Amino acid sequence: MQNIVPMTRPILELRPGQHLTLTPQLQQSIRLLQLSTLDLEAEISQVLAENPLLDREDESPSAEAQAESERESSVQDDEPAAERETPVDEMPGSGGVYPDDDSGVPEAARPDTLREHLLGQLALTRAAPRDMALASLLIDELDENGYLGSPLDEILGWLPAEMEPDIDELRAALSLLQSFDPVGIGARDMAECLQLQLRNPDIARLPEAADAAVLACARRICAEHLPLLATGNAARLCAAVGCDEPTFRAAHSLILRLEPRPGRAWTVPAAEYAVPDVIVRKTRRGWQAMLNSAAVPRLQINGLYAQMLGNQKESAHAGLQAQLQQAKWMIRNVEQRFDTILRVSQAIVERQTAFFSQGPAAMRPLILKDIAGELGLHESTISRATTQKYMLTPFGTLELKRFFGTGVSTEGGDATSATAVQTYIRQMVADENRAKPLSDSQIMQKLADQGIVIARRTVAKYREALRIAPAALRKAQASAR
């Protein structure tokens, strides 16, 4: 008699333990919201090449859409033309990491993005899948300079609870990321960025680093005394570090040759090349945000393949069925991305109406929590929706993050935003005499003359947030040129 093996039904079993439970769909949704418009286009192009079930729609606008666009444009014929901002050179160093030639020819732009460059290195590691997933999430948190944009405890807070995330695991993932090229990537501030470079074995290529005393002095300055270095008081710094003046001078020279913006080689000036995700226009209903149709990819399911799958048994085309599901998720997540950006943008416009009529000096205090509470979203979602997303306004193309800032009191009793104060500081530095740059105290006094009274340390905090080097380093940079 033939043995009959009973069929068993698959059982879903929950087991305790630390497993990364971010679904591919959720990972994709988080990643797409984080990406800039250019990076999103690259991502979609790759998916289109790999998935035959996904197509682009005909991108020629309908007559109705064109007519609507013309009506909207006519409403603001008398509005000032948008002027693009000129980026301020905020480099504290001489702009090269371990230069070993004197050709003077700038390095050509990298063909890939910083994210692709780092993910390529991550793929070559032998890290566990969970560590690789966490490192990938940290890569998505990097800003255009290569700095980690959010504190680790904040990142830990928005990770799903079912992941059972651990701060030590995030620290390990960050250490892995900081071992990648370019040196200094993943730093949380300039001090850590410079320290990572000074600990890298390749630092030995620089002549100043051949002297162990000079290298040790430079490391201690970056770890403990960058604010003192900014004052330019060599005598005090020598006493604090415990070195003689020649050693300090050599250490200072070494520090100036480091790269405080490791992501710079992959960055183009945003004000010149950023594609606005949102356009703000003045209509009969007031200032309104609308998506830039040129930035929104129009995707659809390939009709031929979809019809074929509809006429066949699912089991006969399991691979195509999976690709169909992936295509649907891509379309849905792209739509959700732009819907979130538009909702956030309109909420910003309604909170910052004075800016659109009067300019940056009229920016009001606004924090992520305000918009998150109004829209019922998490603060991390607002952060992602405003990072590397740009808005075309009557005063130029601005990153959405520029509209946020805490309140600063003025002499008149009103409150202006920290963003408005930073705008003043940025302009002051742009207009300063390069040979005699403004100190934090001088900037403080100039702000006081305009009725904005803040402490010198607050000026220093805003300057550092703008990635503007201290006066002493700006002067050294000008001298090097």
Side-chain angles (χ1 to χ4, degrees):
M1 181 177 177
Q2 190 176 19
N3 292 331
I4 299 177
V5 180
M7 295 183 64
T8 59
R9 176 181 293 180
I11 298 175
L12 181 63
E13 181 180 357
L14 295 177
R15 298 180 179 177
Q18 290 189 339
H19 300 284
L20 190 62
T21 56
L22 277 176
T23 65
Q25 294 81 9
L26 181 56
Q27 285 189 10
Q28 183 186 72
S29 176
I30 293 173
R31 186 172 68 252
L32 294 186
L33 185 57
Q34 179 75 19
L35 295 179
S36 67
T37 298
L38 294 178
D39 289 340
L40 175 67
E41 181 61 33
E43 178 101 355
I44 290 175
S45 296
Q46 181 177 346
V47 175
L48 286 168
E50 297 173 350
N51 191 339
L53 271 295
L54 188 66
D55 271 350
R56 286 188 186 273
E57 294 182 16
D58 180 11
E59 297 185 356
S60 58
S62 65
E64 181 180 352
Q66 289 179 337
E68 177 64 22
S69 177
E70 291 173 1
R71 285 195 297 271
E72 291 171 346
S73 298
S74 64
V75 175
Q76 56 165 4
D77 287 342
D78 58 344
E79 294 296 323
E83 300 177 356
R84 295 191 181 276
E85 291 188 332
T86 302
V88 179
D89 185 0
E90 300 165 359
M91 280 293 302
S94 57
V97 182
Y98 319 148
D100 53 5
D101 64 12
D102 54 0
S103 62
V105 179
E107 184 178 357
R110 303 297 181 104
D112 54 359
T113 65
L114 176 61
R115 179 176 180 274
E116 291 168 346
H117 180 68
L118 296 171
L119 289 177
Q121 295 175 73
L122 180 61
L124 297 177
T125 67
R126 296 183 178 180
R130 181 177 175 89
D131 293 331
M132 293 184 68
L134 290 174
S136 178
L137 288 173
L138 293 181
I139 288 173
D140 287 338
E141 286 296 312
L142 298 180
D143 64 19
E144 63 181 8
N145 294 317
Y147 285 79
L148 189 64
S150 305
L152 287 181
D153 55 355
E154 181 178 314
I155 296 174
L156 187 70
W158 58 255
L159 289 177
E162 57 267 26
M163 283 180 58
E164 300 181 12
D166 185 293
I167 190 66
D168 290 331
E169 287 183 301
L170 273 182
R171 292 192 183 105
L174 180 59
S175 295
L176 175 63
L177 172 58
Q178 290 179 344
S179 69
F180 292 169
D181 172 78
V183 185
I185 199 71
R188 285 157 285 190
D189 53 36
M190 186 180 295
E192 184 177 25
C193 179
L194 300 180
Q195 289 176 72
L196 287 171
Q197 294 174 56
L198 290 171
R199 290 199 298 263
N200 189 276
D202 286 346
I203 194 69
R205 293 168 54 189
L206 294 179
E208 296 93 338
D211 188 328
V214 171
L215 182 57
C217 178
R219 287 173 174 170
R220 187 168 179 191
I221 290 173
C222 290
E224 304 172 17
H225 301 294
L226 274 184
L228 183 54
L229 178 65
T231 67
N233 192 324
R236 281 186 58 196
L237 211 149
C238 288
V241 177
C243 68
D244 55 31
E245 187 167 341
T247 301
F248 160 70
R249 296 297 179 193
H252 189 195
S253 176
L254 175 59
I255 293 170
L256 288 175
R257 299 185 67 174
L258 302 179
E259 174 57 271
R261 291 165 56 193
R264 187 228 296 256
W266 288 265
T267 303
V268 294
E272 294 181 17
Y273 299 103
V275 177
D277 301 86
V278 176
I279 299 172
V280 177
R281 293 191 173 112
K282 191 172 186 179
T283 68
R284 296 179 183 88
R285 295 173 295 169
W287 293 101
Q288 294 291 318
M290 54 197 71
L291 291 174
N292 177 12
S293 59
V296 181
R298 303 172 65 186
L299 304 175
Q300 65 181 8
I301 301 297
N302 183 289
L304 182 62
Y305 278 101
Q307 183 179 7
M308 181 183 71
L309 288 174
N311 297 332
Q312 300 290 333
K313 292 182 179 180
E314 184 174 342
S315 59
H317 296 283
L320 286 178
Q321 288 287 352
Q323 289 184 310
L324 175 61
Q325 186 60 48
Q326 292 169 2
K328 289 180 178 178
W329 274 109
M330 172 60 78
I331 293 173
R332 185 178 305 176
N333 284 335
V334 168
E335 290 176 349
Q336 181 179 337
R337 173 190 188 273
F338 282 98
D339 177 67
T340 301
I341 292 173
L342 181 58
R343 290 178 63 204
V344 171
S345 298
Q346 185 57 41
I348 291 173
V349 169
E350 292 171 359
R351 295 285 190 116
Q352 297 287 12
T353 302
F355 161 83
F356 295 96
S357 301
Q358 303 170 37
M363 198 87 78
R364 307 302 299 168
L366 182 64
I367 59 176
L368 295 177
K369 187 176 181 180
D370 295 335
I371 302 298
E374 180 178 330
L375 300 181
L377 299 173
H378 195 281
E379 287 182 50
S380 65
T381 301
I382 306 301
S383 178
R384 282 178 169 73
T386 55
T387 299
Q388 297 187 77
K389 313 303 184 300
Y390 295 88
M391 178 185 286
L392 180 60
T393 79
F395 300 95
T397 300
L398 305 178
E399 187 179 14
L400 294 184
K401 275 196 176 297
R402 289 281 303 278
F403 291 93
F404 292 88
T406 54
V408 176
S409 299
T410 65
E411 282 186 340
D414 297 327
T416 187
S417 73
T419 304
V421 177
Q422 289 176 350
T423 300
Y424 285 124
I425 294 174
R426 187 194 297 272
Q427 192 59 49
M428 288 177 190
V429 172
D431 296 341
E432 71 184 2
N433 181 344
R434 297 288 182 179
K436 297 180 179 179
L438 296 171
S439 67
D440 292 343
S441 297
Q442 290 171 319
I443 293 175
M444 178 187 70
Q445 184 57 52
K446 284 181 173 289
L447 289 172
D449 293 341
Q450 300 183 47
I452 302 173
V453 180
I454 58 176
R456 186 196 61 78
R457 62 179 178 274
T458 306
V459 171
K461 182 180 73 173
Y462 290 162
R463 174 181 52 71
E464 291 168 1
L466 292 168
R467 306 280 194 225
I468 298 176
L473 293 182
R474 299 203 304 277
K475 183 176 182 179
Q477 181 184 3
S479 300
R481 291 175 179 173

